[in-house]
Amino acid sequence: MPVKFQRARNEEQRAVRRRAILDTAAAMLAEMPVAQVSLNELARRVGLAKSNVLRYFESREEVLLELLDAASRELVDRLDGVLAEALEGAPAEERPDRIAACLTRCLEERPVLCDLISAQAAVLERNVSPEAAVRYKRGVIANASALAGSLAAHLPELGEEDAFRFVAGAVMATGSVWTHAHPSPAMLAAYEADPALAVLRLEFGPTLRETLEVMLAGLLARAARRT
């Protein structure tokens, strides 16, 4: 049952409203893909008129970008310890593949984050103001820099610049592979009707892991040539 809010009269009350909107949107993402989250349903569930939701967030996309930023921060905070555990005692030649496997596993455990990443550039960034875009992109840089620093610490031969390149490439790969690994009902029906088409079906985990392995191997080989 949605809660009926009274008009927020101070910053503390506004923060409560914003938190309620974000929490409600997060609950919706646990039930449905990003594409099905509508501003009308969000407003209904949170107990506010649509126009009142827009007092706190300029669009549905800004709400979802905030959730993407929060989920990305959580992943970055978690990964350093997970990487340290995965790489403990690993010989140098195994560390890149272990990193790719570890990052893939952490993303597989976070399907909502993957779905948000897949919608980021094509959908979520298309209906926000320059001000909202600046806030979001600053968060992206902070998250990517933190993760790159952790990767460079665990794999010094990669270097911080290439670690940042790897993080950026991993984000793009995640979004693309997630989309292709979750085809439409029509595409699924086509695969069922013609088994020869099955070669085009992708499994998210194995495909992403292999992509990240190849990306890391390429960056490391290039770094080795430079030195």
Side-chain angles (χ1 to χ4, degrees):
M1 184 106 178
V3 177
K4 291 296 183 183
F5 287 115
Q6 295 181 344
R7 184 182 179 88
R9 300 186 181 278
N10 55 50
E11 285 306 310
E12 184 178 353
Q13 291 175 339
R14 286 183 59 81
V16 170
R17 305 295 189 276
R18 286 179 60 87
R19 188 69 260 161
I21 292 167
L22 289 169
D23 289 347
T24 302
M28 292 174 69
L29 287 171
E31 301 173 15
M32 63 189 74
V34 170
Q36 293 180 15
V37 176
S38 70
L39 188 58
N40 285 335
E41 179 62 11
L42 174 59
R44 187 192 71 79
R45 292 194 185 198
V46 84
L48 291 171
K50 179 178 172 180
S51 59
N52 286 336
V53 172
L54 295 174
R55 291 176 181 270
Y56 302 101
F57 295 93
E58 63 186 37
S59 63
R60 175 196 82 117
E61 287 74 17
E62 187 186 13
V63 174
L64 296 175
L65 284 176
E66 285 219 17
L67 291 177
L68 173 53
D69 178 61
S72 299
R73 287 199 309 273
E74 184 275 329
L75 175 64
V76 171
D77 292 343
R78 174 81 176 121
L79 262 175
D80 192 53
V82 173
L83 284 171
E85 183 179 344
L87 295 173
E88 185 176 3
E93 63 272 16
E94 291 184 12
R95 295 170 79 84
D97 284 357
R98 288 202 187 189
I99 287 173
C102 184
L103 182 54
T104 298
R105 184 173 67 253
C106 287
L107 287 164
E108 283 184 296
E109 294 168 353
R110 293 163 173 80
V112 170
L113 172 58
C114 295
D115 196 20
L116 286 166
I117 290 172
S118 74
Q120 174 189 330
V123 179
L124 303 185
E125 295 181 359
R126 302 288 172 168
N127 189 30
V128 291
S129 67
E131 293 77 16
V134 166
R135 287 194 302 272
Y136 171 67
K137 287 300 186 181
R138 284 175 176 164
V140 169
I141 292 172
N143 291 331
S145 297
L147 181 51
S150 178
L151 288 171
H154 291 295
L155 198 64
E157 59 269 37
L158 184 62
E160 289 200 7
E161 286 188 11
D162 278 341
F164 192 93
R165 290 187 181 98
F166 172 72
V167 171
V171 171
M172 289 187 286
T174 298
S176 178
V177 174
W178 182 264
T179 300
H180 285 84
H182 295 81
S184 68
M187 290 298 104
L188 287 174
Y191 295 142
E192 292 288 336
D194 186 351
L197 300 177
V199 67
L200 299 176
R201 289 200 66 174
L202 300 180
E203 289 186 61
F204 178 72
T207 304
L208 180 62
R209 177 175 174 171
E210 183 177 13
T211 302
L212 298 183
E213 287 174 353
V214 171
M215 198 182 303
L216 264 181
L219 287 168
L220 288 168
R222 189 174 67 175
R225 287 200 305 271
R226 286 200 299 262
T227 57

